[in-house]
Amino acid sequence: MSAIGELAALRRTKSARANPSPAERGDNKAAAVFLAPWFVGLALITVGPISASLYLSFTDYSLLDPPEWTGLDNYAAMAGDPRLFTSLRVTFTYVFVSVPLQLAAALGLALFLDRGLRGLAIYRSVFYLPSLLGASVAVAILWRQIFGNAGLINQLLGVFGVNGPGWIAHPDYALGTLIVFNVWTFGSPMVIFLAGLRQIPKDLYEASAIDGAGKLRQFRAVTIPLLTPIIFFNLVLQIIFAFQAFTQAFIVSGGTGGPIDSTLFYTLYLYEEGFGNLHMGYASAMAWLLLVIIAALTAVNFFASKYWVFYND
Amino acid sequence: MTEPDLLGAGTPETRGPARKPAARSRPSAPAGSAGEARRPIEWGHLLRRIAKHALLITAGLVMIYPLLWMVASSVKPNALIFRDPSLIPTQLDLGNYTEGWNALGHPFTHYLMNSLVIVAGAVLGNLVSCSMAAYAFARLNFRGRKLWFAIMLMSIMLPIHVVIVPQYILFSSLDWINTYLPLVVPKLLATDAFFIFLMVQFFRGIPRDLTEAAHIDGAGHGRIFLQIMLPLSTPALATTAIFTFIWTWNDFFSQLIFLTDPEMYTVPVALRTFVDSTSDSSWGSLMAMSVVSLVPIFLLFLFGQRYLVRGIATTGLK
């Protein structure tokens, strides 16, 4: 089961009693030892910083002088910051255009590849490779070349006599190249879909065939319902990942989020404010807004899942 | 590996070519290799399969064309990169590699070694700390286990951007900026919860009889963990090691923030300064170094694919 399936299951079995074997009852001491590194990390690297950033978000802090309490000033400044709204618009566009396209490509190819196609492993590798390399600076550099003025795309278009624009230098197209980038890395959700498809019991297909169901009917009544937990898992995860996209936009835009802020991802703006301008208080407030947005979207996703995700257990 | 299924059952055909009605009862062609199933080959079906493969091959080529072109460009003279979209270089020019290797303040070997040091620390840290935590979650019964487990799962989804500012403040107050400690120490503290989850999944599959027998024989949890669980978990450990390698090698955001001294630069940060200083005349060497930076990942992909696929399938890693 996936991490998100586990979370959903935990929620659904809230009242169920754990039933440990006698040998394993009362391992508190051993657990404290085995979990010690994780507890320390949770406190110092995760929970501590989250709380600290909440405090810092109410201060003016430049790392050089001690933080100065300014109340809600940072949040008020955010409400009147046009670049912040630009970065939100850019990020939301990126997430809500690229993730559905990416998942559609992943699901489509997974269905196409399923069920013992000859050479399946080779196809899977080829489609998976981009998502493995895609997080690297090297491939972001490649993207910058491909969609550049004299880049690969325009060279190919030139073969057909089309004069392409300088994609990454044009504010109307720059974000599009990054969306294409994210769609291009559909390989990892595809592999998850393939694994999910393989877990659908074969006898369901056999039984429904005996009952007279055709291919299309089987697809609608067996494949899709049994795949909904996987679709849900991929959706939640890819949305969270997409909100965190940074490297591609940073490299393709040369660290600026340009042209004219058209690729100013939220993470890029946060980096610029926090580490470029040393507005650590403001950056902390931005971090909290990001946390709230992601948590809210995930909560909505979980809530909505009650109506369309089918758990077969 | 799955057996080839001649009927392709269950796969919705979205764009198979029109079915040929004629020639249904031909004897099976050698390509069919139908084995003992003595079903006659359907020509329409065969055609559909060929069309399906043609489509997949085309799609696959489109997908990896940019990568192949990057490799081709790295051995092309500069002027050709901006003129020649083909994959086969007309001239083989390795000058880009020698030039790129020495284009920055240090030879590229320096950055490769820096990256390797961090990767080694991260892999070791994740293997030790995540397997320990996973053992507790999978096999120990302790107070608040469900709650901690839920917190662990949620921490998987926490974006690093939310904690990076206070982390920076913490590490800079410890004087850790421009050292590798901010990139390695968190791994020793099991902050990559993804791998805890991956190993919990794996540990759960190890038969309880084995550990309970050892328990009755008087083995403590330390011995059970070290001598039974870990040796049986090499696939999960390999998956963890491979993914940690790839993620750390690719990681740009935290290395950009914690490493500002060129002496300490890793491959991604070095490439970034390279791209900033690049004019059209040195794209070839930039491409060459980009290719070099991807070689370790590609090798892991080639030889560790089994573990990668299994890892993604069980946890949904990137």
Side-chain angles (χ1 to χ4, degrees):
Chain A
M1 213 188 323
S2 65
I4 285 167
E6 293 264 346
L7 263 181
L10 276 180
R11 232 177 30 146
R12 277 176 291 128
T13 59
K14 232 177 245 164
S15 53
R17 218 162 45 85
N19 197 9
S21 71
E24 296 184 340
R25 217 162 291 185
D27 296 322
N28 285 335
K29 264 190 204 155
V33 174
F34 277 95
L35 285 176
W38 179 71
F39 275 133
V40 174
L42 188 70
L44 292 184
I45 311 288
T46 311
V47 176
I50 293 179
S51 344
S53 74
L54 182 62
Y55 163 70
L56 288 172
S57 75
F58 298 113
T59 66
D60 183 11
Y61 184 42
S62 68
L63 209 60
L64 309 169
D65 306 306
E68 188 187 322
W69 186 267
T70 55
L72 289 171
D73 280 8
N74 286 325
Y75 292 97
M78 276 163 69
D81 181 353
R83 287 195 84 198
L84 184 94
F85 285 97
T86 305
S87 75
L88 281 171
R89 188 172 42 78
V90 168
T91 310
F92 273 88
T93 311
Y94 174 77
V95 171
F96 290 111
V97 176
S98 75
V99 171
L101 288 176
Q102 184 204 39
L103 291 185
L107 182 58
L109 264 152
L111 290 168
F112 207 60
L113 285 178
D114 189 35
R115 303 280 153 172
L117 185 75
R118 202 176 284 260
L120 169 84
I122 297 169
Y123 289 126
R124 188 181 55 195
S125 304
V126 167
F127 291 125
Y128 175 54
L129 185 61
S131 60
L132 204 57
L133 303 179
S136 64
V137 167
V139 173
I141 290 173
L142 172 68
W143 225 248
R144 193 172 149 142
Q145 209 297 327
I146 288 178
F147 285 99
N149 214 357
L152 177 62
I153 296 287
N154 282 348
Q155 291 171 31
L156 290 171
L157 285 175
V159 173
F160 302 101
V162 179
N163 222 339
W167 304 93
I168 57 164
H170 196 298
D172 287 348
Y173 301 121
L175 184 58
T177 67
L178 298 175
I179 289 173
V180 171
F181 195 120
N182 201 34
V183 176
W184 184 61
T185 61
F186 68 78
S188 59
M190 183 197 75
V191 172
I192 300 172
F193 279 133
L194 277 172
L197 284 170
R198 196 155 306 167
Q199 273 168 9
I200 298 177
K202 273 221 165 76
D203 46 334
L204 282 180
Y205 290 108
E206 281 154 22
S208 59
I210 291 168
D211 288 348
K215 287 267 173 66
L216 197 67
R217 184 71 200 274
Q218 284 183 333
F219 178 68
R220 272 204 352 243
V222 178
T223 311
I224 288 297
L226 287 177
L227 214 52
T228 49
I230 314 280
I231 298 175
F232 173 60
F233 171 70
N234 272 330
L235 185 70
V236 171
L237 218 62
Q238 294 304 328
I239 286 179
I240 293 175
F241 283 152
F243 264 102
Q244 301 178 52
F246 176 81
T247 307
Q248 306 90 303
F250 188 91
I251 296 295
V252 168
S253 73
T256 64
I260 334 178
D261 287 349
S262 61
T263 60
L264 186 70
F265 282 5
Y266 195 83
T267 52
L268 224 72
Y269 190 41
L270 193 151
Y271 171 80
E272 192 183 308
E273 280 295 315
F275 299 94
N277 304 333
L278 289 183
H279 296 156
M280 294 278 183
Y282 194 74
S284 296
M286 282 185 68
W288 263 85
L289 180 63
L290 179 67
L291 184 64
V292 168
I293 290 173
I294 291 183
L297 274 175
T298 309
V300 167
N301 244 331
F302 266 86
F303 178 77
S305 75
K306 272 192 277 187
Y307 298 99
W308 67 275
V309 176
F310 171 78
Y311 284 103
N312 187 28
D313 55 19
Chain B
M1 289 292 284
T2 44
E3 292 298 307
D5 171 3
L6 291 176
L7 291 174
T11 315
E13 295 284 0
T14 46
R15 54 184 94 172
R19 205 189 283 260
K20 268 193 184 170
R24 257 185 302 157
S25 51
R26 287 287 183 85
S28 63
S33 71
E36 65 265 330
R38 299 190 50 200
R39 227 177 287 228
I41 286 276
E42 256 191 66
W43 284 105
H45 187 78
L46 188 70
L47 261 181
R48 258 192 351 197
R49 264 175 50 205
I50 292 172
K52 193 168 174 173
H53 282 283
L55 212 91
L56 282 169
I57 290 169
T58 316
L61 272 178
V62 171
M63 287 285 289
I64 54 168
Y65 196 92
L67 297 170
L68 297 175
W69 181 82
M70 170 161 69
V71 177
S73 295
S74 73
V75 294
K76 284 180 196 167
N78 257 305
L80 275 184
I81 295 179
F82 293 97
R83 274 193 280 122
D84 178 15
S86 72
L87 291 184
I88 298 143
T90 44
Q91 298 164 262
L92 197 69
D93 181 3
L94 290 177
N96 287 331
Y97 282 85
T98 48
E99 206 175 291
W101 208 273
N102 297 305
L104 295 171
H106 295 275
F108 211 71
T109 328
H110 183 84
Y111 308 119
L112 289 168
M113 290 314 291
N114 286 352
S115 272
L116 261 185
V117 169
I118 295 177
V119 164
V123 168
L124 194 75
N126 270 348
L127 284 178
V128 173
S129 66
C130 295
S131 65
M132 283 173 69
Y135 179 77
F137 284 124
R139 279 301 212 270
L140 299 179
N141 188 44
F142 53 94
R143 223 177 316 137
R145 185 174 74 158
K146 270 193 154 183
L147 176 69
W148 292 118
F149 190 61
I151 290 174
M152 186 275 286
L153 289 179
M154 284 191 283
S155 74
I156 293 177
M157 290 167 246
L158 184 77
I160 186 184
H161 313 88
V162 173
V163 292
I164 193 77
V165 168
Q167 272 187 16
Y168 184 85
I169 295 165
L170 171 71
F171 293 138
S172 83
S173 73
L174 295 169
D175 247 340
W176 282 8
I177 306 302
N178 280 319
T179 72
Y180 299 144
L181 294 171
L183 301 164
V184 173
V185 170
K187 314 284 177 189
L188 286 164
L189 301 175
T191 46
D192 277 349
F194 246 135
F195 300 115
I196 302 181
F197 179 64
L198 181 126
M199 283 193 252
V200 167
Q201 296 285 72
F202 198 88
F203 287 171
R204 279 175 180 167
I206 294 176
R208 272 174 186 267
D209 303 359
L210 281 176
T211 45
E212 264 161 36
H215 199 84
I216 290 164
D217 288 347
H221 286 297
R223 272 192 66 185
I224 292 176
F225 172 66
L226 287 174
Q227 296 186 354
I228 298 177
M229 297 301 265
L230 286 188
L232 288 174
S233 307
T234 38
L237 297 173
T239 306
T240 301
I242 291 174
F243 267 111
T244 306
F245 190 112
I246 293 174
W247 284 3
T248 313
W249 189 267
N250 277 344
D251 173 35
F252 176 59
F253 187 70
S254 47
Q255 294 177 11
L256 175 73
I257 285 171
F258 293 125
L259 307 174
T260 51
D261 176 2
E263 186 69 31
M264 306 302 284
Y265 276 179
T266 54
V267 170
V269 189
L271 277 179
R272 180 255 163 149
T273 57
F274 200 167
V275 85
D276 281 352
S277 63
T278 293
S279 60
D280 279 2
S281 60
S282 50
W283 265 100
S285 40
L286 181 57
M287 285 286 156
M289 290 307 101
S290 299
V291 170
V292 168
S293 81
L294 293 178
V295 167
I297 302 179
F298 188 70
L299 289 178
L300 280 176
F301 166 76
L302 273 190
F303 298 108
Q305 229 191 99
R306 203 154 49 98
Y307 299 112
L308 286 169
V309 168
R310 196 182 306 167
I312 308 164
T314 47
T315 58
L317 305 174
K318 191 89 174 153

